[in-house]
Amino acid sequence: MTKIYNFSAGPAVLPKEVLAQARDEMMDWHDSGMSIMEMSHRGKEFMGIAAEAEADLRELLAIPANYKVLFLQGGAHSQFSMIPLNLLRNKTTADYINTGIWSQKAIEEAKRYCHVHVAASSADKNFTYAPTQNQWQLNPDAAYVHYTSNETIGGVEIFSTPETGNVPLVADMSSHILSRPIDVSRYGIIYAGAQKNIGPAGLTIVIVREDLIGETLPGTPTMFDYRIHADNDSMYNTPPTFAIYIAGLVFKWLKAEGGLAAMEQLNVLKSALLYDFLDNSDFYNNPIAIENRSRMNIPFTLKDAALDAQFLKQAQHNGLLQLKGHKLLGGMRASVYNAMPLQGVQTLIEFMREFELAQA
Ligand SMILES: *Cc1c(COP(=O)(O)O)cnc(C)c1O
């Protein structure tokens, strides 16, 4: 059977070891006589699973003690409104950096609650780069600064942590959290939907500095108040138990693989292989500025878009799945998250080389 490599942008590839363990534990978790899916979230078994997942995530990211880790639902989309609802307080304006489709979605939602000041934008070059910090026109009266540190659709990643002084920095890290070490203490809030680089869809992770919790705009729904979730260890309502369990297994897998520094090394290697190949080809193209090329999401086009359908069909036939680009951009996109082995990238490049040669 052809070996399968899954390049989906999300929900995305998970480590084979994690899936195998979940299979083995599916019917009867640790002699409890129950599947995880059948357990009360308030029982000692699941409480233990959730506590261990949090402890492992804290260890991986070296999360300081004055930050809460919340396991929520609603996706990154819910955070687009939860952030202004919790962080505006008595301010009326927030700074947003616009680097592409996900930034824009966050901006549109925030406009429901405040004046959005777009402090920098790469719209002038069709979002093929990220403005550097010295191009950001930050407003000292902003309630917070929001940016999307990896644009999943455009393939634009910001590698340095912005400096925002006393204004809290908020990052949508949905598609590259855990791909490399970060200094959490530089951020007010980090949030991420799990389905890209963590685990199954349905879980959203929020890492929030404690002093930013507790004051919401009037009318904020209970479920949108960080305080409620922080005070109840993310169990105010029924949490996405199975997704938390799988995320916990992924955290253990990451630790066994050597943690985030080891992941970064591998991610540098994998993405450089593919970018080098693209750059040395006249047939394939990636338009992103070199210093902002995402290590996770690598969009590319073929010289002739009329070949796209054939490329995708043959790729699939060769076990290379879900390479179709986002519908807004067209072309292709290879997402090479933590769980994508080096071999997967090498196999993709080999296929792309052969496909190009066959067109000559
Ligand atoms: C996928 C994604 C989202 C949306 O996540 P949902 O869980 O579908 O709400 C937001 N931001 C980024 C950067 C993403 O990659």
Side-chain angles (χ1 to χ4, degrees), residues 9-11 73-80 101-103 105-106 146 148-153 172-176 191-196 201-204 297 333 337:
Q73 301 178 62
H77 277 91
S78 288
Q79 294 310 308
F80 295 165
I101 289 160
W102 287 117
S103 307
K105 286 232 187 186
H146 179 281
T148 308
S149 46
N150 187 63
E151 286 280 359
T152 321
I153 297 172
D172 178 354
M173 295 199 183
S174 290
S175 49
H176 73 162
Y191 66 98
Q195 71 273 21
K196 278 56 181 260
L203 169 66
T204 311
N297 310 99
R333 174 175 45 169
Y337 296 119

Side-chain angles (χ1 to χ4, degrees), residues 39-262:
M39 287 176 184
S40 165
H41 57 294
R42 310 216 183 266
K44 70 174 186 334
E45 292 92 348
F46 185 76
M47 299 275 276
I49 289 170
E52 215 167 302
E54 177 176 340
D56 285 335
L57 179 63
R58 283 185 174 277
E59 186 183 329
L60 282 166
L61 280 168
I63 299 174
N66 62 325
Y67 284 73
K68 292 281 187 192
V69 174
L70 307 179
F71 292 138
L72 307 183
Q73 301 178 62
H77 277 91
S78 288
Q79 294 310 308
F80 295 165
S81 29
M82 230 165 148
I83 285 156
L85 285 168
N86 284 264
L87 261 52
L88 279 170
R89 305 188 168 192
N90 46 18
K91 303 212 168 174
T92 54
T93 178
D95 280 349
Y96 278 73
I97 310 303
N98 183 6
T99 50
I101 289 160
W102 287 117
S103 307
Q104 284 164 1
K105 286 232 187 186
I107 288 168
E108 284 314 308
E109 187 66 17
K111 281 181 182 167
R112 295 163 59 91
Y113 305 103
C114 64
H115 171 72
V116 170
H117 171 240
V118 176
S121 167
S122 53
D124 58 336
K125 289 187 184 161
N126 201 22
F127 303 111
T128 52
Y129 74 105
T132 52
Q133 165 109 49
N134 58 11
Q135 297 169 296
W136 293 19
Q137 314 254 312
L138 295 178
N139 170 7
D141 290 327
Y144 58 90
V145 179
H146 179 281
Y147 79 117
T148 308
S149 46
N150 187 63
E151 286 280 359
T152 321
I153 297 172
V156 171
E157 182 164 356
I158 296 175
F159 291 96
S160 58
T161 302
E163 182 50 65
T164 56
N166 287 331
V167 181
L169 178 63
V170 177
D172 178 354
M173 295 199 183
S174 290
S175 49
H176 73 162
I177 192 169
L178 300 176
S179 68
R180 53 182 160 93
I182 46 163
D183 181 355
V184 173
S185 72
R186 304 276 303 277
Y187 294 85
I189 294 183
I190 291 167
Y191 66 98
Q195 71 273 21
K196 278 56 181 260
N197 210 17
I198 298 177
L203 169 66
T204 311
I205 289 184
V206 177
I207 302 166
V208 50
R209 212 174 62 211
E210 273 168 359
D211 63 287
L212 300 174
I213 299 176
E215 254 183 79
T216 51
L217 292 190
T220 298
T222 307
M223 283 293 288
F224 276 55
D225 184 345
Y226 290 133
R227 159 75 63 210
I228 292 289
H229 298 290
D231 285 353
N232 290 281
D233 291 327
S234 303
M235 298 216 192
Y236 173 71
N237 73 320
T238 315
T241 51
F242 194 75
I244 292 171
Y245 156 71
I246 298 284
L249 295 184
V250 171
F251 300 152
K252 293 227 181 287
W253 177 81
L254 285 168
K255 283 170 63 176
E257 293 289 305
L260 302 193

